[in-house]
Amino acid sequence: MGYLSETLRREYSDLTVRDVYSTKLGDTDVEIIEASKDGKRFIAMFQSRKVKENLFRWSLIITSARHTRTLKGMDPIDGITLALKSSIDAIIVGMEE
């Protein structure tokens, strides 16, 4: 279980999260998950690499049936969590429309 799946399980109790794939490629953690809510699903791929103490280079791609979001940045854990949460919220709202 990786950072993305742990964050989703902690922040969204109504979401079913299934780990599809996770590995470490050199210094980079890669995680692919499938999440579903009310019969609608989205796939997310998250990559992160520690740059220095509490600073990570990361990227996120989230795809649902109607929307795709791509984000990347270099942030501390708090910044990554905020970006993940806002992106997941947007995808869930898009699935409900």
Side-chain angles (χ1 to χ4, degrees), residues 8-51:
L8 293 181
R9 286 185 177 109
R10 183 179 61 246
E11 298 288 332
Y12 300 93
S13 59
D14 57 343
L15 231 115
T16 303
V17 179
R18 182 173 73 89
D19 294 320
V20 175
Y21 179 78
S22 62
T23 191
K24 189 163 185 81
L25 299 171
D27 293 338
T28 304
D29 293 317
V30 178
E31 182 179 7
I32 300 172
I33 61 102
E34 177 185 85
S36 60
K37 180 181 177 184
D38 301 331
K40 297 176 182 156
R41 298 182 310 187
F42 66 86
I43 303 284
M45 183 179 85
F46 179 72
Q47 296 180 29
S48 65
R49 181 175 56 87
K50 190 172 189 173
V51 176

